[in-house]
Amino acid sequence: MTYLSKPNFVKLSANIATVLLAFFIGVQLLVAVGVIPISILWGGRQTELTLALRLTSVVAALILSVFVYVIRSRAGLMGTVPPSTAVRVGAWVMTAYLALNTLGNFVSVSPVEKLLFGPLTILLTAACVIV
């Protein structure tokens, strides 16, 4: 079996998705604690980091953490093969959400969302489609 055989390609894609999700988790947490300005998220329309936005970023990081579990489970990297129906359905729901998020990134007024997060979420969505 070659490295780019179907099972290995799926695992590689899941690992790429995991790295990208970890990056986005880090961004959300750094925004929540005020290290990165809030203006790079939420369409670039927020200028003040309120308590509600801090909590929203923490919740977003938690949701992205669930995405890591789902995508790794779907790829068979969490030990359960075949994955449960909930994981299979969750993977498609997550992928659809990421596709919509990608569109949102490209219509954002934030150059960071448009020029950095947009291309990264295209790659993330593609990796999730493969998985």
Side-chain angles (χ1 to χ4, degrees), residues 31-63:
V31 165
V33 297
V35 173
I36 297 176
I38 189 69
S39 60
I40 71 164
L41 298 179
W42 309 114
R45 291 176 171 74
Q46 303 297 326
T47 57
E48 183 181 337
L49 181 60
T50 64
L51 178 59
L53 287 172
R54 285 180 195 270
L55 292 174
T56 303
S57 283
V58 170
V59 169
L62 292 172
I63 291 168

Side-chain angles (χ1 to χ4, degrees), residues 1-2 10 14-16 26 31 35 38-39 50 54-55 58 65 68 71 75-77 88 91 102 107 117 119 123 127:
M1 191 179 292
T2 66
V10 168
N15 287 330
I16 290 169
V31 165
V35 173
I38 189 69
S39 60
T50 64
R54 285 180 195 270
L55 292 174
V58 170
S65 298
V68 170
I71 205 67
L77 297 172
R88 288 192 314 271
T102 300
V107 299
F117 297 165
L123 180 59

